[in-house]
Structures are given as C-alpha cells and as structure tokens.
Amino acid sequence: MVARIYRPAKTAMQSGKAKTKRWALDYEPESPREIEPLMGYTSSVDMNGQIRLFFDTREEAVAYAKARGIPYRVSETHERKIRPMAYADNFRSDRLTPWTH
C-alpha cells in the first residue's frame, strides 16, 4: 500500500488557483477496478482508495507517512510560467502571425 503525496492541480472549471495550495496524500490502488456484470458499475475491493488526507505543507505529509510506516512517493508540482503581456501587444504590427477575427 504505497501512498502518493502531491499538490492537486486546478480543475478545468476554475480560472484561479483555489484548492491548489495544500498537499494531498492518496493511496495507490492495490487491485484493479472491476465492472459489475448486472448493472455495469465499476467497483473495487480496495477501501484505501476512498481516503484522501490534506496537509498544509509537504513536510507535514511526509512526516505523517513516516510516523505511520506508510511507504510514500512524492510527486513534485510544475509551476505555471506566466509571461507578462500587455493588451496592446495583441495589435502590434510586427507580430509573427497576423491578427484576424
């Protein structure tokens, strides 16, 4: 039962960075999901897949895993690179691609 420690990415439904500051600890699935033959639902016998713990810092999450003897894997986050750009740059005459509607 290996745990994964990561910082969640923003969802596609949000434009801001809400809910991306905290670190999460999830357990990797131990067995694959199965499809129920009668209704077609997906099911799993792994109950640890329902557990997600949140921590303020990465060090707190690692300390929690070490204190309880849980093997863990830390996934580093990729920070967004935002290029500063003025609105007037959209209408420059020396653009590489012409501006059209």
Side-chain angles (χ1 to χ4, degrees):
M1 157 172 82
V2 178
R4 185 173 72 119
I5 298 172
Y6 65 98
R7 215 165 68 180
K10 72 180 194 75
T11 64
M13 297 301 294
Q14 67 188 47
S15 60
K17 290 185 169 183
K19 299 182 183 178
T20 61
K21 306 282 188 218
R22 299 185 302 170
W23 288 79
L25 183 139
D26 285 344
Y27 290 100
E28 297 283 338
E30 292 181 353
S31 61
R33 294 183 182 261
E34 299 173 355
I35 298 175
E36 292 288 329
L38 180 62
M39 297 297 290
Y41 299 145
T42 55
S43 65
S44 176
V45 296
D46 185 20
M47 296 303 288
N48 286 334
Q50 299 178 6
I51 298 173
R52 177 178 290 163
L53 302 174
F54 290 101
F55 300 93
D56 290 332
T57 63
R58 174 184 168 205
E59 290 76 21
E60 288 178 9
V62 169
Y64 177 85
K66 284 183 180 179
R68 286 165 177 70
I70 302 169
Y72 63 92
R73 181 174 50 94
V74 178
S75 299
E76 295 297 329
T77 59
H78 302 284
E79 295 296 326
R80 264 177 44 169
K81 295 179 185 175
I82 300 175
R83 294 184 302 149
M85 186 174 165
Y87 178 70
D89 291 339
N90 292 329
F91 307 102
R92 287 189 344 209
S93 60
D94 60 342
R95 286 178 53 117
L96 295 177
T97 58
W99 182 81
T100 60
H101 277 291

